[in-house]
Each structure stands twice: as structure tokens, then as C-alpha cells.
Amino acid sequence: MTAHAYLTTREAADYLRLKERKLYDLVRQELIPCTRVTGKLLFPRQALDLWLMNHLEGDRQSREPLAAILAGSQDPLLEWAVRESGSQLASLCHGSGDGVRRLLAGQALVAGVHLLDPDSSRYNDPVALGLGGMRDLVGIRWARRRQGLMLAPGNPLGIEGLADLARPQVVLAHRQPDAGAERLLTLLLTRAGISLAALNLSPDVALSEDDLALAVRRGDADAGLGVEAAARRHGLDFIGLHDECFDLLMRRRSYFEAPLQRLMQFARQPRCQDWAERAGGYDLGEQGAVTYNA
């Protein structure tokens, strides 16, 4: 028999071996992950497992609070959800690589990452990212996103794919070396037999999805690799090339902090799915799934 992904109040109380009254007390104090659908409380089974493990580890972990900072890569849907959920997370999004470093250094509560390991073709592998030593690391799937070429409105240069980026007149916007988009661009070009160093790169590095999109929109560049949602909101043409995984990495105890709970509860609401569909290039079928649990 397949286990349900969401438990009712009675099922959750039985699962945790708690009285229903105690469970309601935990909900009222916002101490346990849950969501409310048409007035009914539901408890995500995977989130309950994390909550239970976190409490079992209890005193063995340091309880020094982390700043409520979201670091890592910019994502249009995540950026919107952080604001709309009232999460009170502060965004410091300077690329996936920067987010990994800040998470490891204890300078961020959560990091959004989309880093592809070229050897294993796996996304956001903690060992490949240098996070294998974090014994309480958890990965939560935020979304699958479509990456591709952002192009000027109307595509005046008639760019049809990666091969056209090698034309001398094409100026390519680019990201910082440890950004997820830049790593993906390098990998896609390598597979196509094209050297990034041989292309006509714009003089300025774009530090975010929006910076890259604006560079193309202003005419500072003719193309750049980014997500479909960012291209659409800046009125750019778009050629899809690759679907990727965008995950949230955090320490296990951080998942149960109020900012993350507000964000994840908001993400389960229909508003989030509706926004993603309008933005384009998102698949939220795995949103909230635990992708890694050290």
C-alpha cells in the first residue's frame, strides 16, 4: 500500500505517537510543519520525518541562530514567494557558488542552488559542492526550470541555437564563473564543440538573472543563458535548451525556523502554482520533496 504524502491530524498524531491536542498545540505555536487546505490541516510526511529527526538530534546540535538570509541563485518564482509569504527572509543572491560558501560559513539560513556536476550529470550533489562534511544538511526541491537563450525582442540577428553564438557580430552576456548558469553554459558549449573563450563576451559580468536579461534588453548584448521566466518578464525572446533542478539547501534545524516554514507553507498554496504557470518554464511537480538528508 502506498504511503500518503500528506497526513490528516489523526494520522499525524498516530505517526508521531502524540495526542491530537498536543499536535494542535504545536501547530498553534508554529513549531511543526503543516498546511491548511479548505480549512483542514494536512501534514507533509517527509517534513514530519525531518522534524522528528531534528528533535531526536536535539541537544547534540548547536543552537546558535543563523541570520534569516536567503543566499545563492536568483529565481523569479522564489523571489516572488519570499515577498508574498511574509517570510521575512532577506535576499543576498550572488549566484549558486556564493550561496554554497555562505551556507558552509554559517552566513545564510538557506541557499538556492542549481549546480550541475559535469561528471555525474547530477544536480546539487552535496559532495561535489564541498558540503559532504555537513552532517545535518538537507536539500528541498524548489522547482524544475527551463534554461535557454535570452534574445532581443524579435530576435533581430536570427539566432537559432548555440552554434550562432560563435558568429563574430554576436555579443554574449555572461555570468560569474561559479554561477549555475555559467557552469551550464560552459557544459552546453563544450558538448557542442564550442569554446566559451572564443566567443565575443560582453565586458561586464551579469551577477543575476535580471542583470543578464537587462543587458540583452538594453542592447549591451545580443544573447545570454538564463531561465525562461526571467526572459518573459523582461519581454525577451527565448529558445529553450535545458531543464534543470533548483533546490534549497539548509541545515536540518533551519527548515523548522519560522521564515522557512512560512515560505514552504505558502509554496503549497494554489497561488504559487498559478504564478509559476503564468511566468513560464516551471515544473512544480516535485516541489517540497526532500532531495538530500544527511
Side-chain angles (χ1 to χ4, degrees):
M1 182 175 179
T2 302
H4 294 296
Y6 291 88
L7 305 180
T8 65
T9 302
R10 177 178 293 180
E11 290 169 341
D14 290 343
Y15 188 60
L16 298 173
R17 298 187 179 182
L18 297 173
K19 293 183 178 180
E20 288 188 42
R21 179 178 298 177
K22 177 61 176 178
L23 193 58
Y24 281 120
D25 287 342
L26 293 172
V27 170
R28 187 176 63 255
Q29 298 173 60
E30 298 184 351
L31 295 177
I32 193 167
C34 69
T35 188
R36 193 178 295 274
V37 178
T38 62
K40 181 179 180 181
L41 287 174
L42 293 176
F43 299 81
R45 183 185 294 270
Q46 287 187 322
L48 288 182
D49 289 340
L50 288 176
W51 181 85
L52 185 60
M53 186 173 293
N54 185 60
H55 281 265
L56 288 174
E57 290 176 350
D59 296 335
R60 298 203 303 269
Q61 293 190 7
S62 167
R63 293 292 169 179
E64 182 178 346
L66 297 172
I69 291 175
L70 166 66
S73 181
Q74 180 193 18
D75 174 69
L77 174 63
L78 179 59
E79 185 179 64
W80 172 80
V82 163
R83 292 196 307 269
E84 292 294 311
S85 65
S87 68
Q88 298 185 347
L89 283 167
S91 295
L92 188 62
C93 297
H94 294 160
S96 294
D98 182 75
V100 168
R101 289 191 294 272
R102 290 184 185 277
L103 183 66
L104 191 58
Q107 298 172 350
L109 191 70
V110 56
V113 299
H114 59 115
L115 291 169
L116 177 63
D117 179 16
D119 296 325
S120 66
S121 295
R122 292 179 58 190
Y123 264 99
N124 310 320
D125 181 352
V127 175
L129 298 181
L131 297 175
M134 289 182 64
R135 301 176 66 182
D136 59 343
L137 182 69
V138 167
I140 304 292
R141 177 62 40 81
W142 176 251
R144 288 185 178 271
R145 317 186 304 176
R146 184 167 301 116
Q147 286 270 11
L149 294 179
M150 296 182 179
L151 305 169
N155 191 10
L157 295 183
I159 295 171
E160 296 182 354
L162 289 172
D164 291 321
L165 301 181
R167 287 155 44 186
Q169 72 270 34
V170 175
V171 177
L172 181 67
H174 59 105
R175 299 287 305 280
Q176 60 270 46
D178 61 353
E182 193 71 0
R183 289 195 188 184
L184 177 60
L185 175 62
T186 302
L187 178 61
L188 293 177
L189 288 172
T190 299
R191 290 175 176 174
I194 303 169
S195 170
L196 178 64
L199 301 183
N200 185 15
L201 302 180
S202 60
D204 298 321
V205 174
L207 297 179
S208 69
E209 293 280 349
D210 280 336
D211 286 348
L212 189 141
L214 285 170
V216 176
R217 181 74 189 186
R218 289 193 305 259
D220 298 335
D222 302 302
L225 187 78
V227 294
E228 181 175 349
R232 282 195 185 188
R233 76 176 179 181
H234 287 279
L236 302 176
D237 281 23
F238 182 82
I239 299 175
L241 296 176
H242 181 82
D243 289 340
E244 66 174 11
C245 300
F246 190 102
D247 295 333
L248 301 177
L249 301 182
M250 65 200 77
R251 294 184 180 276
R252 188 175 295 114
R253 68 180 185 271
S254 297
Y255 181 85
F256 304 101
E257 296 292 335
L260 263 298
Q261 280 298 295
R262 292 190 193 104
L263 175 63
M264 297 311 298
Q265 288 178 19
F266 177 81
R268 300 182 191 110
Q269 297 180 13
R271 283 183 64 197
C272 196
Q273 179 68 51
D274 291 344
W275 196 97
E277 290 177 359
R278 293 195 306 271
Y282 284 108
D283 178 353
L284 303 187
E286 299 173 341
Q287 189 179 64
V290 178
T291 58
Y292 183 83
N293 185 13

